[in-house]
Amino acid sequence: MKNKSIKIGKNELCPCGSGKKYKNCCRNKKKEVSIKDEYKNRYDIILKTPEQVAGIKKSGELLISIMERVEKMIKPGLKTDDINTFVHEETKKAGGVSAPLHYRGFPKSVCVSINEVICHGIPGERFLQDGDIVNVDLTPILNGYYADASKTFFVGTPGRDAQKIVSVAAESLKRGIEIVAPGTTLGDIGYAIQSYAEGQACSVVREFVGHGVGIDFHEQPQVLHFGSPGKGLPLVEGMVFTIEPMINLGKKELHILEDRWTAVTNDMSLSAQFEQTILVTKDGYESLTPYEL
């Protein structure tokens, strides 16, 4: 990434972190402020170096390898805890760690969310049934680098509603990813997702959003899946974040179960999600957890 400069208004806070106005601080020192310093000091966003990107990509390769094998496991009669055991063991074999395990008290190594469960489903004794949809959300840490992605799968033969919500969720992510480029705003991503999903008579979950990732599990910025064109922070080369829209067949409202993790649609309508880790490049984007949508 080139060390480009950015213009700072004289009455804005100085990006050096002093708390002073720019005109009373580094402006007088004729100090050039790089975009990397600007985004870190002002927004707490870590623009990734090529070495860091390479590390995140390696973690993403492990994620996709495990996800592809999980997909082959999905069938009626599979216990959700068996998915957890497989993900945990395969991540460990590769020298990695499953980030969800013990994160803020989460008890498992993967999130498995079925039908009306929006996200953060806890694997256990529940068995997959024919006609279900199931989202599997993986976040391995490999050599200190995090990659994050999820996919929603059909179990057996899907019904019409299942086919619709999975299709809309996949296309929502695709549309959000395709507009990523330097100069695009976070609001542009949210608008692309929201306008499409709501145009299909579905709803976009508000409570859970995408996020920066790579050096830590959850970093800045937050990436909303709804919004207005041109609003929000402009994207710049080196940003790495997830886009992970959760799309409901019914209304957007939700509640959390007594386990304090599992998010469920209030109207018990189906919910689907697809997620990838995205790098902003000089000319556009690159998925660091690529799979076909």
Side-chain angles (χ1 to χ4, degrees):
M1 182 179 66
K2 293 182 180 178
N3 194 35
K4 301 175 183 177
S5 61
I6 188 168
K7 185 175 181 181
I8 312 298
K10 65 180 181 179
N11 289 314
E12 295 183 50
L13 287 177
C14 188
C16 76
S18 67
K20 299 178 182 179
K21 290 184 178 180
Y22 182 53
K23 67 181 180 182
N24 296 325
C25 193
C26 292
R27 183 187 185 213
N28 297 327
K29 300 175 186 177
K30 297 183 179 180
K31 179 181 177 181
E32 185 180 77
V33 180
S34 70
I35 289 181
K36 185 170 185 176
D37 289 341
E38 163 79 357
Y39 270 61
K40 182 66 178 74
N41 293 329
R42 181 174 294 191
Y43 308 115
D44 197 27
I45 293 172
I46 303 169
L47 301 186
K48 307 307 191 283
T49 65
E51 293 76 17
Q52 290 169 334
V53 169
I56 300 166
K57 184 180 282 190
K58 282 288 185 185
S59 185
E61 289 171 358
L62 172 61
L63 187 159
I64 293 301
S65 171
I66 295 173
M67 185 75 82
E68 288 174 346
R69 285 176 281 164
V70 167
E71 184 169 9
K72 294 177 181 178
M73 296 172 61
I74 300 296
K75 63 181 179 180
L78 178 67
K79 187 165 65 173
T80 56
D81 205 39
D82 290 341
I83 299 173
N84 178 77
T85 299
F86 178 81
V87 169
H88 180 83
E89 291 180 351
E90 292 303 307
T91 303
K92 188 175 180 180
K93 278 183 193 176
V97 176
S98 296
L101 185 61
H102 305 313
Y103 177 76
R104 297 183 178 178
F106 191 78
K108 297 289 183 174
S109 294
V110 62
C111 296
V112 180
S113 304
I114 303 171
N115 295 339
E116 73 281 358
V117 177
I118 295 168
C119 62
H120 302 159
I122 300 173
E125 298 302 310
R126 182 171 177 177
F127 291 86
L128 301 181
Q129 298 182 19
D130 185 60
D132 283 345
I133 59 172
V134 57
N135 178 271
V136 180
D137 192 342
L138 306 180
T139 309
I141 313 168
L142 186 64
N143 300 320
Y145 294 104
Y146 295 70
D148 195 359
S150 82
K151 251 180 129 172
T152 299
F153 304 107
F154 296 123
V155 181
T157 304
R160 183 178 299 176
D161 285 348
Q163 290 178 1
K164 176 180 178 178
I165 194 59
V166 169
S167 174
V168 172
E171 182 65 21
S172 294
L173 175 58
K174 184 177 181 181
R175 293 190 180 211
I177 290 174
E178 286 180 342
I179 65 168
V180 170
T184 297
T185 68
L186 291 173
D188 293 332
I189 295 174
Y191 179 76
I193 292 167
Q194 181 184 8
S195 59
Y196 171 73
E198 292 181 353
Q200 302 300 309
C202 296
S203 62
V204 180
V205 171
R206 303 306 205 257
E207 288 84 350
F208 301 103
V209 299
H211 52 87
V213 71
I215 308 302
D216 204 350
F217 198 166
H218 295 99
E219 305 173 13
Q220 292 298 324
Q222 291 193 338
V223 181
L224 279 60
H225 305 119
F226 56 95
S228 301
K231 300 295 184 180
L233 193 66
L235 306 184
V236 296
E237 182 184 357
M239 291 176 74
V240 176
F241 50 80
T242 68
I243 305 177
E244 48 182 294
M246 286 150 259
I247 309 299
N248 297 347
L249 190 63
K251 296 181 179 180
K252 65 181 184 295
E253 287 75 22
L254 60 83
H255 61 279
I256 308 297
L257 300 186
E258 291 182 0
D259 61 24
R260 299 184 180 181
W261 283 102
T262 308
V264 178
T265 58
N266 279 359
D267 58 10
M268 301 302 285
S269 63
L270 294 176
S271 184
Q273 178 193 21
F274 290 83
E275 171 189 14
Q276 293 189 25
T277 295
I278 303 300
L279 165 70
V280 183
T281 64
K282 179 181 178 181
D283 301 313
Y285 69 89
E286 178 184 356
S287 176
L288 304 181
T289 54
Y291 59 78
E292 187 175 353
L293 289 165

